Amino acid sequence: MDLEAIAEISRLKYRYARALDTKSWPEFADTLLPEATATYAEHLRFDSRDAFVSFLQDTLGPHVITEHHCGHPEIDVHGDTATGIWYLSDTVVVPGDQMMMRGAAFYQDRYAKDAAGRWKIAHTTYERTYESVYSLADMPSFRLTSNRWALIGSPQYGVPGVAP
Amino acid sequence: MDLEAIAEISRLKYRYARALDTKSWPEFADTLLPEATATYAEHLRFDSRDAFVSFLQDTLGPHVITEHHCGHPEIDVHGDTATGIWYLSDTVVVPGDQMMMRGAAFYQDRYAKDAAGRWKIAHTTYERTYESVYSLADMPSFRLTSNRWALIGSPQYGVPGVAP
Amino acid sequence: MDLEAIAEISRLKYRYARALDTKSWPEFADTLLPEATATYAEHLRFDSRDAFVSFLQDTLGPHVITEHHCGHPEIDVHGDTATGIWYLSDTVVVPGDQMMMRGAAFYQDRYAKDAAGRWKIAHTTYERTYESVYSLADMPSFRLTSNRWALIGSPQYGVPGVAP
């Protein structure tokens, strides 16, 4: 096994998830090749990095908390390309809609080196084992005791996640 | 540390969990030595791969969604055998019974190479830190928006997880 | 990448979480330098290993179930020191108070080798993406079917987690 390449690709995936869940869109975009494609369901297909990032940036604003944990890497390296299976466990909370989502899926990614020799995501897709949603109205005691984006839009603070 | 062996054993465990949670029983069986043993509680002991796989296959049919995330590998390699501690986070949903289970445990595995020199599971057991169950009747809004096995048993589709 | 050092530091973190969640305080303390510091919020700062361990030991007694899963390691090694980012997913159950907590955070750790050349935690802190709490009173069917510490304090058993 090419342990060095596997370690580099794993870090790429971790940076991808961290940037996604902290809404750090330039850092997120940097994990993808410009021509990267992504498929999440029949109606969610993206033919370029820009289309994919724009969609996520528009959809996952500060009103949405996302949590994507990726584990169980099964990465095969073939020279300058590689494939990876990952086990996703994800949670989404939309406080304003009282919506909670929990699910799991297996990612099937392809990776390739860019011109500078750095590993990037060339294609990402996943197949869910399950996805569940419920309303926080069923749990009247539920409250967020911390929310990195809670202060966005409040008049006195301009910087997300920074307390006074 | 024998990083190559640790990487191989980790992939073995990931394949084990993926095959378990996708109900891919032949692939699951292939992660175990024929003489593998498994112990989950005082009354759940298996003396062979076949007994273990048969039990899981009978118990975890398409009416059950399972999610086993294994992390925190602490693997020690001693020549052709090895031991591993893993931190399990598991969720089980039985939609028909409105049952939800969530828990955590520490696995204590033993591994050995088979005749072909490939790492296999020789013994697996875990000790729970906790396990909790609740009824989905407490969450009337709960619904599955995706279920890999939802179509099984419906007359028009024969293949699990494949939409029309 | 220094894969050997990264593997050693990862195991250190896994031992830290396992000792924390099994309340094995001497083993937990052994993952920290004596002068280690920890910061969890403005009002939770610890200036030494002893202060940190004492606080946790006092706070996280057998009445509290904790579950700390650390994934997505982004570890940079610089000779005898290192930094690490980890993605935490944590759950806390306090059965006596009917309290449940679920959240996520990014750790930012510093590591250093001790006099014996073994990696230890020099500093740990995290920033939450979110934290949520709710009362189990909202889920009247909820029950613990396993609890490693359930027998503590019951007159006939002296040893935690050991069934009769």
Side-chain angles (χ1 to χ4, degrees):
Chain A
M1 276 193 273
D2 185 342
L3 296 181
E4 184 92 12
I6 290 171
E8 284 170 7
I9 290 167
S10 295
R11 282 199 63 161
L12 172 71
K13 185 76 173 179
Y14 301 149
R15 200 159 69 241
Y16 171 94
R18 177 168 53 74
L20 175 60
D21 289 346
T22 59
K23 308 183 195 306
S24 307
W25 303 116
E27 188 174 10
F28 181 82
D30 188 57
T31 64
L32 298 155
L33 290 177
E35 64 273 24
T37 53
T39 311
Y40 285 103
E42 233 166 297
H43 54 291
L44 273 180
R45 295 171 182 275
F46 304 98
D47 288 333
S48 72
R49 173 179 69 191
D50 290 354
F52 184 39
V53 176
S54 290
F55 172 81
L56 293 175
Q57 187 161 3
D58 289 350
T59 309
L60 304 178
H63 63 295
V64 179
I65 299 165
T66 61
E67 184 182 1
H68 291 81
H69 294 287
C70 301
H72 299 207
E74 299 179 78
I75 296 170
D76 289 313
V77 181
H78 313 281
D80 281 357
T81 63
T83 59
I85 298 173
W86 293 86
Y87 200 175
L88 169 70
S89 162
D90 57 341
T91 301
V92 173
V93 191
V94 189
D97 294 341
Q98 301 228 82
M99 199 279 283
M100 177 77 88
M101 190 279 291
R102 265 254 45 234
F106 286 99
Y107 275 104
Q108 290 203 302
D109 292 347
R110 291 197 305 269
Y111 311 99
K113 285 191 174 174
D114 68 7
R118 298 177 310 160
W119 287 103
K120 302 274 177 161
I121 296 167
H123 178 70
T124 186
T125 188
Y126 64 56
E127 192 181 356
R128 285 212 170 273
T129 49
Y130 79 101
E131 182 187 89
S132 62
V133 296
Y134 58 88
S135 168
L136 295 173
D138 285 349
M139 305 171 67
S141 67
F142 181 96
R143 63 197 172 92
L144 286 170
T145 44
S146 176
N147 180 355
R148 190 182 168 104
W149 297 279
L151 299 174
I152 285 186
S154 91
Q156 64 269 51
Y157 312 114
V159 185
V162 176
Chain B
M1 276 193 272
D2 185 341
L3 296 182
E4 183 93 12
I6 290 171
E8 286 171 5
I9 291 166
S10 295
R11 282 200 63 161
L12 172 71
K13 186 74 173 180
Y14 301 149
R15 202 160 66 240
Y16 170 94
R18 178 169 50 76
L20 174 62
D21 288 347
T22 58
K23 310 185 194 303
S24 307
W25 302 116
E27 187 173 11
F28 181 82
D30 187 57
T31 65
L32 298 155
L33 290 176
E35 64 273 25
T37 52
T39 311
Y40 285 103
E42 232 167 298
H43 54 291
L44 272 180
R45 295 171 181 274
F46 304 97
D47 290 332
S48 72
R49 174 180 69 190
D50 291 353
F52 185 39
V53 176
S54 290
F55 172 81
L56 293 175
Q57 188 162 1
D58 289 349
T59 309
L60 303 179
H63 64 295
V64 180
I65 298 165
T66 61
E67 184 182 1
H68 290 82
H69 295 286
C70 301
H72 298 207
E74 299 178 77
I75 296 170
D76 288 314
V77 181
H78 313 281
D80 281 357
T81 63
T83 59
I85 298 172
W86 293 86
Y87 201 174
L88 169 70
S89 162
D90 57 342
T91 300
V92 174
V93 191
V94 189
D97 294 342
Q98 300 228 80
M99 198 280 283
M100 177 76 90
M101 190 280 291
R102 265 254 46 238
F106 286 99
Y107 275 104
Q108 290 204 302
D109 291 347
R110 291 197 306 268
Y111 311 100
K113 286 192 174 174
D114 67 8
R118 299 178 310 161
W119 287 102
K120 302 273 178 161
I121 296 168
H123 178 70
T124 186
T125 188
Y126 64 56
E127 192 180 357
R128 287 213 169 273
T129 49
Y130 80 102
E131 182 187 87
S132 62
V133 295
Y134 60 89
S135 168
L136 295 173
D138 285 350
M139 305 172 68
S141 67
F142 181 96
R143 62 196 173 94
L144 287 170
T145 45
S146 176
N147 179 356
R148 190 183 168 104
W149 296 279
L151 298 174
I152 285 187
S154 90
Q156 63 269 53
Y157 311 115
V159 185
V162 176
Chain C
M1 277 191 272
D2 186 341
L3 296 181
E4 183 93 12
I6 290 171
E8 285 171 6
I9 290 166
S10 294
R11 282 198 64 160
L12 172 72
K13 186 74 172 179
Y14 301 149
R15 202 159 67 239
Y16 170 94
R18 176 168 51 76
L20 175 60
D21 289 347
T22 58
K23 309 184 193 305
S24 307
W25 303 115
E27 188 173 10
F28 181 82
D30 188 58
T31 65
L32 299 155
L33 289 176
E35 64 272 23
T37 53
T39 311
Y40 285 102
E42 231 165 299
H43 54 290
L44 272 179
R45 296 172 181 274
F46 303 97
D47 290 332
S48 72
R49 173 179 70 190
D50 290 353
F52 184 39
V53 176
S54 291
F55 173 81
L56 292 176
Q57 187 161 4
D58 289 350
T59 309
L60 304 178
H63 64 295
V64 179
I65 298 166
T66 62
E67 184 182 1
H68 291 82
H69 295 287
C70 301
H72 299 206
E74 299 179 77
I75 296 171
D76 289 313
V77 181
H78 314 279
D80 282 357
T81 63
T83 59
I85 298 173
W86 293 87
Y87 201 175
L88 169 70
S89 163
D90 57 341
T91 301
V92 173
V93 191
V94 188
D97 293 342
Q98 300 228 80
M99 199 281 281
M100 178 77 90
M101 190 281 290
R102 264 254 46 234
F106 286 99
Y107 276 103
Q108 290 203 303
D109 291 346
R110 291 197 305 269
Y111 310 99
K113 286 191 174 175
D114 68 8
R118 298 177 311 161
W119 287 102
K120 303 273 177 161
I121 296 167
H123 178 69
T124 186
T125 187
Y126 64 56
E127 192 182 355
R128 286 212 169 272
T129 50
Y130 80 102
E131 181 186 89
S132 63
V133 296
Y134 59 90
S135 168
L136 294 174
D138 285 350
M139 305 172 67
S141 68
F142 181 97
R143 63 196 171 93
L144 287 169
T145 44
S146 176
N147 179 355
R148 190 183 168 105
W149 296 280
L151 299 174
I152 285 187
S154 91
Q156 63 269 51
Y157 312 114
V159 185
V162 176

